[in-house]
Amino acid sequence: MTNDERQAGARDPAFDAIAELVTRGLAGPLSAEDSAELDRLIETTPNGGCFAEELVDRWTLAGIAGDPRGTPATSDLDVPVTEEYAAVPETEERGHGWRRRIVGLVAAVVVLAVGGGLAVHMLRSQAVQPVLIAATDAPMTTTLQDGSRVSLSRDGKVLVRMEEHRRVLQQIGGEAYYEVAKDHTRPFTVETSGYRVTALGTRFNVSPDPTGTQIDLLEGRLRIETDRPGDQPVFLTAGQRFVGGAHPRIEAANPAAADWRSGRLVFNDMPLSEVAAKLSYYSGRRVGIRSPAAGKLRFSGVLRWDMPGDWSAAFEATLPVKVEQAPDGIEIVALAD
């Protein structure tokens, strides 16, 4: 890009390409091809490395993304000073100065408060604007551009792309509940843990359970696909649940699957070890199981993840356990131990 083009406000499309690859990296590791392309762009684009590092810095400081600079694609972001920035005074912290000026010229990462969470907008001309919506230390609900509503659990993250002919959301972390606005011209697709879940107008909950992604359909219809060759699409109707993993299956949906949004967690004959894991996940407090015997006990009941003071009484009233307080949570011990 020439100085005349810079002065006229023109923008090197390489910066858009860098922004696209860095944004894509939020959803997971880049492929070898994408990593090589990002390396090439950083090496050949004047100040491209500074620009990429600024994006990473802002996401990291916002608490939205882990610091991915240890990956090969972004581990070496220093680039030579171009003539345009040679006049920056030596007394200024030049690396940060260049990055701030580049971001101001070619793109902006805007961090917005959204119902207790954060949204990051990547503003780029002539391109779809991906938006990262992230809950922080509490669940949040937000309305998307198309009128759909997304509820995220604590630490939940969704990368949103509203395109002309489709709506694509990458569920990066946490649990999410979707109320999809009907738009038959633009399918609504959620990508998570190797699955693509497509709906036109529906309500469903996606939980990234360690034993297999769980998708509870409360209203409408869903099509679920994978990237594995030979896999056939799975269709759900209201009242069904899809459980992924090594042996995918369809079973009855949990009507209370989305009750976590209001603080309620419903447990039906669940091992205490799994109950403890869910309470820890939603509340951010540690619920320890000190003995294997306690973890195998089965619990049924309704607990509020936002009322940890009630957990001890519920466990001790229904199970042969005692609950001990710890600085960061509780410890559950079987009475037989």
Side-chain angles (χ1 to χ4, degrees):
M1 179 182 292
T2 67
N3 287 332
D4 290 341
E5 288 174 323
R6 291 191 184 97
Q7 293 171 1
R11 187 157 82 194
D12 190 338
F15 284 110
D16 283 345
I18 292 172
E20 176 68 26
L21 288 169
V22 172
T23 303
R24 196 182 305 165
L26 286 173
L30 292 173
S31 66
E33 292 80 5
D34 285 344
S35 293
E37 177 64 7
L38 182 57
D39 283 335
R40 185 191 68 79
L41 288 167
I42 287 174
E43 183 176 348
T44 60
T45 304
N47 290 291
C50 294
F51 172 57
E53 187 173 354
E54 175 69 11
L55 299 185
V56 173
D57 284 346
R58 291 190 180 213
W59 282 321
T60 302
L61 289 173
I64 293 172
D67 189 343
R69 283 176 289 176
T71 63
T74 54
S75 59
D76 185 7
L77 295 171
D78 290 330
V79 294
V81 183
T82 63
E83 181 180 352
E84 180 182 5
Y85 295 99
V88 177
E90 290 289 338
T91 55
E92 183 177 351
E93 293 184 10
R94 299 184 67 172
H96 292 289
W98 305 330
R99 291 197 295 272
R100 282 195 297 270
R101 294 184 64 188
I102 292 170
V103 169
L105 287 170
V106 301
V109 179
V110 184
V111 181
L112 303 174
V114 180
L118 297 171
V120 173
H121 291 251
M122 180 71 67
L123 305 179
R124 303 199 308 274
S125 65
Q126 299 179 345
V128 174
Q129 299 177 4
V131 179
L132 180 66
I133 302 173
T136 50
D137 56 356
M140 59 164 285
T141 298
T142 188
T143 301
L144 304 182
Q145 177 186 358
D146 68 334
S148 299
R149 290 172 61 81
V150 178
S151 298
L152 296 176
S153 64
R154 184 184 65 86
D155 292 337
K157 300 179 182 68
V158 174
L159 188 65
V160 181
R161 294 178 65 91
M162 290 293 175
E163 302 179 359
E164 183 178 359
H165 299 295
R166 62 176 186 163
R167 299 166 286 175
V168 181
L169 288 77
Q170 290 178 299
Q171 186 170 324
I172 301 169
E175 188 164 350
Y177 173 76
Y178 301 93
E179 297 180 28
V180 182
K182 292 183 178 180
D183 185 345
H184 294 281
T185 66
R186 290 196 302 167
F188 186 101
T189 299
V190 175
E191 299 175 348
T192 178
S193 303
Y195 293 97
R196 291 190 306 278
V197 184
T198 302
L200 291 176
T202 189
R203 296 186 297 120
F204 62 100
N205 193 79
V206 179
S207 176
D209 192 274
T211 60
T213 298
Q214 297 181 1
I215 303 169
D216 288 88
L217 178 58
L218 306 181
E219 178 184 287
R221 287 175 55 85
L222 286 179
R223 182 177 72 244
I224 303 173
E225 303 169 281
T226 74
D227 295 326
R228 294 188 294 269
D231 279 4
Q232 297 298 314
V234 174
F235 294 88
L236 292 188
T237 57
Q240 291 184 319
R241 163 189 279 185
F242 172 82
V243 181
H247 304 286
R249 65 185 186 275
I250 296 177
E251 57 188 36
N254 176 8
D259 282 5
W260 56 265
R261 297 175 299 152
S262 60
R264 296 175 72 250
L265 296 178
V266 180
F267 303 102
N268 293 310
D269 194 35
M270 181 177 290
L272 191 56
S273 59
E274 296 183 21
V275 174
K278 284 186 175 292
L279 288 173
S280 294
Y281 172 75
Y282 286 104
S283 70
R285 295 174 58 86
R286 189 175 68 85
V287 181
I289 304 290
R290 190 176 298 175
S291 62
K296 294 177 181 178
L297 296 172
R298 306 189 78 84
F299 176 79
S300 295
V302 179
L303 298 176
R304 293 192 62 89
W305 59 260
D306 55 351
M307 298 179 65
D310 294 345
W311 303 345
S312 299
F315 292 143
E316 292 180 343
T318 58
L319 298 174
V321 299
K322 61 180 178 180
V323 179
E324 300 177 356
Q325 299 299 316
D328 56 347
I330 60 175
E331 289 276 350
I332 304 175
V333 184
L335 292 178
D337 291 347

